C-alpha cells in the first residue's frame, strides 16, 4: 500500500486514527471526537509518500524474485522507480497493461490486456488456490 489505505482516517489536529467504516459522512468533512478534521490515510495528489514507506517498498522491490506491474502508467516517481530497482536486483518483471508503459527493455514479459482479464487467467494458469 505504497500510497496508503482508505481503511483508516487520521485527525489533522490530534493525529488520532479511526476505522473508515465507523465514520459518518452525513456531514462533511468528517470530524474526530476532538473536533478536528479526519482525512484518509493516503498520499493525495501532490503529497509525498512517507520516507519510511518508500524505504520499505524499495527493500521489498530489491528483495523480490518476480514483480508484477499491473495497470499503471509508470509515469509518477518515486513509484515508477520500483520496477527498475527490482530488475536491477535480478527480479523477473512482468508488466500487465493494455499498452506497454514501462521503459522499453525493462519488463522481462509484457502481457497485453486489462488487469481484470489477465490476472484471473494468470492465477488459473499457476494453479493458485488449487488443492494438491
Amino acid at each position: 500500500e505504497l500510497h496508503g489505505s482508505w481503511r483508516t482516517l487520521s485527525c489533522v489536529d490530534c493525529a488520532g486514527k479511526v476505522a473508515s467504516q465507523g465514520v459518518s459522512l452525513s456531514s462533511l468533512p468528517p470530524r474526530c471526537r476532538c473536533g478536528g478534521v479526519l482525512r484518509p490515510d493516503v498520499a493525495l495528489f501532490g503529497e509525498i509518500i512517507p520516507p519510511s514507506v518508500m524505504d520499505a517498498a524499495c527493500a521489498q522491490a530489491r528483495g523480490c524474485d518476480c514483480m508484477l506491474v499491473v495497470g499503471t502508467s509508470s509515469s509518477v516517481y518515486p513509484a515508477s522507480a520500483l520496477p527498475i530497482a527490482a530488475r536491477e536486483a535480478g527480479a523477473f518483471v512482468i508488466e500487465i497493461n493494455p499498452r506497454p508503459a514501462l521503459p522499453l527493455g525493462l519488463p522481462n514479459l509484457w502481457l497485453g490486456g486489462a488487469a481484470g482479464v489477465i490476472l484471473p487467467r494468470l492465477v488459473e494458469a499457476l494453479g493458485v488456490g488449487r488443492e494438491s
Side-chain angles (χ1 to χ4, degrees):
E1 296 182 340
L2 186 66
H3 291 95
S5 170
W6 290 90
R7 287 189 293 274
T8 58
L9 299 120
S10 291
C11 177
V12 298
D13 290 342
C14 73
K17 283 191 181 282
V18 297
S20 60
Q21 291 176 328
V23 174
S24 171
L25 298 178
S26 59
S27 64
L28 294 176
R31 298 280 178 174
C32 177
R33 288 186 178 147
C34 78
V37 172
L38 292 170
R39 63 160 280 149
D41 287 331
V42 297
L44 300 171
F45 187 76
E47 296 178 333
I48 65 163
I49 295 169
S52 61
V53 172
M54 196 62 217
D55 290 346
C58 286
Q60 290 290 319
R62 288 190 301 270
C64 73
D65 296 320
C66 180
M67 177 181 276
L68 296 177
V69 180
V70 182
T72 178
S73 67
S74 298
S75 61
V76 179
Y77 183 84
S80 62
L82 295 174
I84 297 167
R87 180 71 190 267
E88 288 175 350
F92 191 88
V93 176
I94 301 170
E95 178 182 7
I96 300 171
N97 263 326
R99 289 172 297 288
L102 292 175
L104 188 62
L106 176 65
N108 299 94
L109 177 64
W110 172 67
L111 299 175
V117 173
I118 301 294
L119 285 173
R121 291 174 60 197
L122 184 59
V123 168
E124 181 181 344
L126 293 173
V128 177
R130 279 192 217 149
E131 293 183 29
S132 300

